[in-house]
Amino acid sequence: MENSPKWYVMQVRTGTEENICIQCKKDIEEDVLEKCFLPYYEEKRRVQGEWRTLKKILFPGYVFAITKDMEKLYQQLKKVIGLTKLLGTGREIIPLTEKEVAFLTRFGGEDQIVAMSEGIIIGSKVIVNSGPLQGMEGYIRKIDRHKRRAYLEIPFFGRTQNIQVGLEIVEKKI
């Protein structure tokens, strides 16, 4: 059996994600934890009259870990304060599926930052011209043009996840 690295998801208290990630990188041996990260998305916000691009956590309450050795990771995670659990079914810890990993890789790229997308609305149809949302219009459930945000429903962690990403609608045609 090939022992390629698998992606796992840890559930943490919302607001502690970055702290948990730092603890993991510090307390877990490098040969056990290949990478610990949080996917982010970019959004544009008006701060004191200026548009700024901010980074927000894509999956609040979750931290991602890549490892070849789940057992050792599980043991070493006991040193991490504030971790609630690794996601899985019942007693079994399940890695993300290849489809989920491919989605995250395509969506967030190497740095796991989902950049702003740009699109237009024709009638009631959204067409994304550029950015990571291109070709993924089917996942969009709602758009907030004022906040430059798209709300998506994606199948993830064995259930439907509601996430938001940056989307600027540059034109609307009737």
Side-chain angles (χ1 to χ4, degrees):
M1 185 181 121
E2 185 200 328
N3 197 7
S4 62
K6 298 210 179 326
W7 294 33
Y8 293 90
V9 182
M10 298 176 265
Q11 194 171 26
V12 301
R13 254 192 3 265
T14 305
T16 63
E17 301 90 349
E18 286 167 337
N19 181 344
I20 300 280
C21 216
I22 290 165
Q23 279 189 67
C24 287
K25 289 173 183 170
K26 194 177 73 172
D27 297 340
I28 296 173
E29 295 163 22
E30 278 176 37
D31 62 327
V32 174
L33 182 67
E34 230 166 87
K35 188 175 177 186
C36 181
F37 66 94
L38 301 169
Y40 290 93
Y41 70 94
E42 287 181 348
E43 77 170 14
K44 286 201 165 117
R45 273 254 178 93
R46 247 183 128 90
V47 182
Q48 296 167 338
E50 263 181 51
W51 283 105
R52 296 218 176 124
T53 302
L54 305 175
K55 269 189 354 182
K56 302 288 258 243
I57 294 173
L58 186 63
F59 295 101
Y62 297 99
V63 174
F64 292 73
I66 302 176
T67 183
K68 284 183 178 158
D69 193 338
M70 183 56 237
E71 288 305 310
K72 275 189 186 159
L73 177 65
Y74 183 74
Q75 290 308 317
Q76 292 193 18
L77 280 172
K78 291 180 176 155
K79 295 186 262 188
V80 176
I81 299 155
L83 179 75
T84 54
K85 65 177 183 184
L86 279 147
L87 290 192
T89 53
R91 292 185 58 89
E92 198 181 346
I93 296 160
I94 308 279
L96 290 182
T97 65
E98 281 178 32
K99 219 169 151 181
E100 291 169 330
V101 171
F103 175 86
L104 276 176
T105 307
R106 177 194 175 286
F107 210 45
E110 191 58 42
D111 298 328
Q112 281 303 316
I113 297 171
V114 181
M116 283 288 293
S117 294
E118 210 170 83
I120 59 173
I121 297 176
I122 299 174
S124 61
K125 193 172 159 87
V126 178
I127 296 154
V128 179
N129 302 326
S130 67
L133 268 181
Q134 200 170 5
M136 300 176 96
E137 291 87 349
Y139 292 111
I140 298 173
R141 291 292 161 256
K142 191 176 120 191
I143 289 174
D144 184 334
R145 288 183 68 193
H146 182 70
K147 288 187 174 170
R148 294 176 161 88
R149 229 180 254 165
Y151 296 88
L152 314 181
E153 269 184 13
I154 54 168
F156 234 77
F157 318 138
R159 57 184 180 269
T160 302
Q161 289 288 332
N162 295 310
I163 61 169
Q164 52 190 356
V165 293
L167 173 65
E168 182 141 25
I169 298 296
V170 291
E171 190 181 351
K172 185 172 182 172
K173 297 176 182 171
I174 312 286

